[in-house]
Structures are given as C-alpha cells and as structure tokens.
Amino acid sequence: GDSVTQMEGPVTLSEEAFLTINCTYTATGYPSLFWYVQYPGEGLQLLLKATKADDKGSNKGFEATYRKETTSFHLEKGSVQVSDSAVYFCALLSGNTGKLIFGQGTTLQVKP
Amino acid sequence: DGGITQSPKYLFRKEGQNVTLSCEQNLNHDAMYWYRQDPGQGLRLIYYSQIVNDFQKGDIAEGYSVSREKKESFPLTVTSAQKNPTAFYLCASRIAGANPTDTQYFGPGTRLTVL
C-alpha cells in the first residue's frame, strides 16, 4: 500500500541555519504531495503542496520539489527562525476520496 | 470566521465508558475526516464521510463509530471496544468533488485520556 517515510527527529538547528527534512514515498502512480505543520497543542496547517511531478510548492520561505525519479518531496528553508519550531508532516493523497497518508512527523527545534 | 471547531479540548474517560467527540465546520465543506495521532507517529485515518448520511471506514475503524446527519457535523464515538483510546484526535474537512487535491483543513484537536 501507499506509504510515506520521513527522516527521524528531532532536528535541532540554530537560528538562520539551513533546513532540510527528507521525505520519500511509495505509491501507485503520481499522487499529490503535501507538507503540514503542527505547532504545540494545535491541529495541522497546510504548509505547501505539489500536485504533479517537477512542481515546486512554496510558502513562508519553505520549499519542496516533487521528484518522481527519486520519489521524494524534501522540505527546505534557507534561514530558519525560532518561530519555525514545530512538528512537520509529509503526506500523500491516496485514491480519490481525499484520504491522506502521513509520515511519522519530524520535530524541528530552532535555538536562538 | 469560518473554520472547524472540536470540543472538548481535553477529555478524560474511565475504562469501559463510551465517549463522543464533537466536530463542527462552517466552511460548507462536503467531506469530513477523523484522524488519530499517537506520540511519535503520523496521523491515521479512522473514518471519513464524503456526503451527508454516508461514511466509510478508514484504516483503524475498530472500536469507533460515527454519524453524519448534518453537513456541518461529524461526531466520533470512542466505544469501550477500543482497546487503547488514549490519543490526540483530529477532525478535518475539505470541499469534495472532482478535485481531491483540494486542501484538507484541520480542527484544533481533542486530547482523550483514559483513566
């Protein structure tokens, strides 16, 4: 079945450092891909998405490119801030019912 | 303001009791979803509904039940048959229809603890 694998955390960075969180997937065809962010005690917010191969999603300085050759959708940000500290989830859209398959989440801690 | 509300924020239950979690949305979305989140794990789908009076099981439906009598509401009941119900429960919704890539919006969640 479809699945998503994320790099294990926590990831600890200093403010203004470069961020990469790896995400790879296994699926039939080319599903839409998403990054969600969860701040402590809250629900999930959509960060960015890409619906087809080679698409680049971007939002709030975060970017991710849909790579079908490597079945990857890595999240990047050039300069992280303390306010970026959160849990980041990679997900894929499975089938046509809107069902999302999530990775296990990666905790990011940014220190001043 | 449009959005999804979940109540209560925290819920405590004794073993052997059923408990119902509320999810309401005023986004006029057709589809609604219930996910369960455990520490260090991603979200897993419990149930979903694409239209009123219809719903389907997700990946971990055992021990749970739902109803969809109104478009705005999708309550989840955690029954005594659920062996390990302590978790964070998230409700989501999206516009249904021909484009499944439409964004899913999430509520703030309910943290259920079984005592």
Side-chain angles (χ1 to χ4, degrees):
Chain A
D2 296 347
S3 66
V4 175
T5 302
Q6 291 180 234
M7 64 186 288
E8 291 192 18
V11 174
T12 303
L13 296 173
S14 298
E15 208 164 20
E16 299 184 0
F18 185 87
L19 168 71
T20 300
I21 299 178
N22 290 339
C23 171
T24 58
Y25 68 89
T26 301
T28 303
Y30 304 107
S32 295
L33 301 172
F34 304 81
W35 277 101
Y36 280 86
V37 59
Q38 184 179 36
Y39 298 100
E42 298 184 8
L44 273 66
Q45 301 174 25
L46 178 68
L47 184 59
L48 53 85
K49 69 179 182 183
T51 59
K52 60 183 187 294
D54 298 326
D55 266 2
K56 176 185 285 188
S58 61
N59 185 29
K60 300 180 181 179
F62 290 90
E63 293 184 340
T65 301
Y66 190 138
R67 304 282 189 198
K68 68 177 181 180
E69 301 85 2
T70 54
T71 61
S72 65
F73 193 54
H74 304 323
L75 182 68
E76 297 180 334
K77 186 175 185 183
S79 176
V80 293
Q81 305 299 312
V82 173
S83 57
D84 294 326
S85 298
V87 181
Y88 292 82
F89 290 94
C90 184
L92 67 80
L93 186 66
S94 182
N96 60 2
T97 60
K99 173 183 175 180
L100 291 171
I101 304 293
F102 286 87
Q104 74 270 35
T106 301
T107 299
L108 171 65
Q109 299 174 341
V110 181
K111 297 184 176 180
Chain B
D1 285 340
I4 302 174
T5 57
Q6 290 186 243
S7 60
K9 187 174 178 65
Y10 299 97
L11 187 58
F12 298 90
R13 189 195 91 176
K14 294 181 179 179
E15 283 194 26
Q17 287 182 336
N18 292 354
V19 64
T20 297
L21 283 60
S22 170
C23 177
E24 304 278 334
Q25 54 95 3
N26 61 4
L27 299 168
N28 199 32
H29 286 174
D30 301 293
M32 297 186 74
Y33 305 80
W34 274 106
Y35 293 89
R36 169 181 171 141
Q37 183 180 15
D38 293 285
Q41 299 187 35
L43 282 67
R44 293 179 290 168
L45 183 65
I46 305 172
Y47 267 97
Y48 64 100
S49 167
Q50 297 196 83
I51 57 173
V52 174
N53 293 321
D54 188 47
F55 48 82
Q56 286 76 40
K57 292 181 179 179
D59 298 319
I60 56 166
E62 185 175 353
Y64 299 97
S65 65
V66 294
S67 63
R68 187 83 187 278
E69 298 176 0
K70 297 188 299 181
K71 188 175 184 179
E72 303 80 19
S73 178
F74 191 41
L76 173 75
T77 296
V78 184
T79 75
S80 57
Q82 168 51 235
K83 295 179 181 179
N84 185 21
T86 295
F88 191 47
Y89 291 86
L90 289 157
C91 178
S93 71
R94 71 174 183 92
I95 299 174
N99 186 4
T101 64
D102 286 334
T103 300
Q104 251 180 66
Y105 294 90
F106 284 79
T110 292
R111 187 166 298 282
L112 173 64
T113 303
V114 174
L115 303 174

